[in-house]
Amino acid sequence: MKTKPEPNRRFSVAPMMEWTDRHDRFFLRLISTHALLYTEMVTAPAIIHGKRDYLLGFDEAEHPVAVQLGGSDPRELTEAARIAEGYGYDEINLNVGCPSDRVQSGRFGACLMKEPDLVADCVAAMATEVAVPVTVKCRIGVDDQDPREALPTLIEKLRDAGCRTIIVHARKAWLEGLSPKENRTVPPLDYDLVYEMKRTYPDLEICINGGIATLDETKTHLKHVDGVMMGRMAYERPYVLADVDQRLFGVTTPSRTRHEVIEAFMPYMARRLEEGVTLHAMTRHILGLFQGLPGARAWRRHISENAYKKGAGLDIVTEAVNKVREPDLETHSAD
Ligand SMILES: Cc1cc2nc3c(=O)[nH]c(=O)nc-3n(C[C@H](O)[C@H](O)[C@H](O)COP(=O)(O)O)c2cc1C
């Protein structure tokens, strides 16, 4: 029986391996209070056997935050979900969309599009054990599947297994012949099919993902589906999130300027440096913050050339930020 409230999924930042780690999420949270943030995918065996605090630890300020699990063994996933729930995540999400070789060899990720019964078993098993919602992120199909069959088949089985929320990356994955990167650009996007899923299954929460670059586009999608998940743009140009609270969640107070974001990130970085985290591990996520402003390139360069050095401290960030001019009246028009 569910006891935890559903997080608001109107706008979320996608799970991205190597990118949406805890430092990135803390940083993004300084730009938007309401966007739902996803972790990188963590495999169930890693959670069960690996360094849990390292894999799952996060800062309270990151809420609302969802953990994405990788796996296809209902028993393992259930154990991993229980452990993750204990860390305080607001949602458990299962990865049915990631096409990398490493992921396929473990029989999880996008290849599970071909095993909808197994996915439904995994979700049902997890949902009986945890009080937080269990969701799925999938593709519209893989390889020679017909998305018009594969996607509704998966969705119906998930619905019957008690899953209420499905996030659809609106393109197929080709498991052979394309790299993971190509699988995020080459297969064509089919937003209409995702819209159709919402019309066909109105009781389910359907969120759309793939190629969404602005908040104007987000608003258009929200006329057809319940939520939008943004990936690469939110990482590469994080200030696109600056208007999310106001335009999508009705917040009336202004969000932080870019310089205020850095100022607010400083105490966090100081704490983590004391714990032995390197400056580079954190600053690598913030390079795109000033994109489009005079001095943005100098900011990037100063950080890239210095943050990785042994003993690098916050003075590097202060020096870099002094190279950027921010308009006095910030317009937040990154979108
Ligand atoms: C660097 C990188 C890592 C990714 N890792 C994951 C992952 O761990 N799990 C997942 O479901 N999708 C992963 N994705 C896919 C994204 O979540 C998203 O579905 C995809 O980038 C399409 O959205 P976008 O066009 O807004 O970027 C990754 C994407 C990128 C760029």
Side-chain angles (χ1 to χ4, degrees), residues 14-17 19 41 68 95 137 169 184 209-211 231-232:
M16 290 180 280
M17 270 193 266
W19 287 10
M41 181 187 73
Q68 188 187 57
N95 183 339
K137 176 168 178 274
H169 182 178
R184 294 193 282 266
N209 166 247
R232 288 162 288 188

Side-chain angles (χ1 to χ4, degrees), residues 12-20 38-42 68-69 93-99 103 109 137-139 167-171 180-181 183-185 189 191 208-213 229-236:
S12 60
V13 177
M16 290 180 280
M17 270 193 266
E18 309 270 309
W19 287 10
T20 52
Y38 282 79
T39 66
E40 309 166 85
M41 181 187 73
V42 198
Q68 188 187 57
L69 301 184
N93 176 265
L94 180 64
N95 183 339
V96 185
C98 205
V103 168
K137 176 168 178 274
C138 65
R139 296 275 182 146
I167 304 138
V168 187
H169 182 178
R171 52 163 62 91
K181 195 169 179 189
N183 260 314
R184 294 193 282 266
T185 49
L189 287 160
Y191 294 141
I208 197 165
N209 166 247
I212 300 164
M229 173 182 272
M230 190 182 274
R232 288 162 288 188
M233 194 54 80
Y235 185 84
E236 285 160 7

Side-chain angles (χ1 to χ4, degrees), residues 17-28:
M17 270 193 266
E18 309 270 309
W19 287 10
T20 52
D21 65 15
R22 58 182 300 176
H23 309 308
D24 183 51
R25 296 192 307 265
F26 190 98
F27 168 68
L28 296 179

Side-chain angles (χ1 to χ4, degrees), residues 287-302 320 323-325:
L287 295 174
L289 179 65
F290 293 102
Q291 190 94 4
L293 291 190
R297 190 179 297 179
W299 146 268
R300 277 185 96 98
R301 188 182 305 145
H302 193 74
K323 296 177 185 295
V324 199
R325 270 187 296 117

Side-chain angles (χ1 to χ4, degrees), residues 66-129:
V67 62
Q68 188 187 57
L69 301 184
S72 61
D73 179 317
R75 211 177 31 79
E76 274 184 354
L77 279 168
T78 302
E79 190 175 345
R82 217 186 291 122
I83 295 166
E85 182 184 38
Y87 274 78
Y89 285 97
D90 300 297
E91 171 187 325
I92 311 276
N93 176 265
L94 180 64
N95 183 339
V96 185
C98 205
S100 84
D101 287 347
R102 200 161 60 78
V103 168
Q104 279 179 62
S105 60
R107 202 157 148 260
F108 45 80
C111 62
L112 289 178
M113 291 296 300
K114 293 178 179 166
E115 299 189 67
D117 288 311
L118 177 58
V119 177
D121 287 349
C122 291
V123 167
M126 286 190 279
T128 53
E129 285 295 326

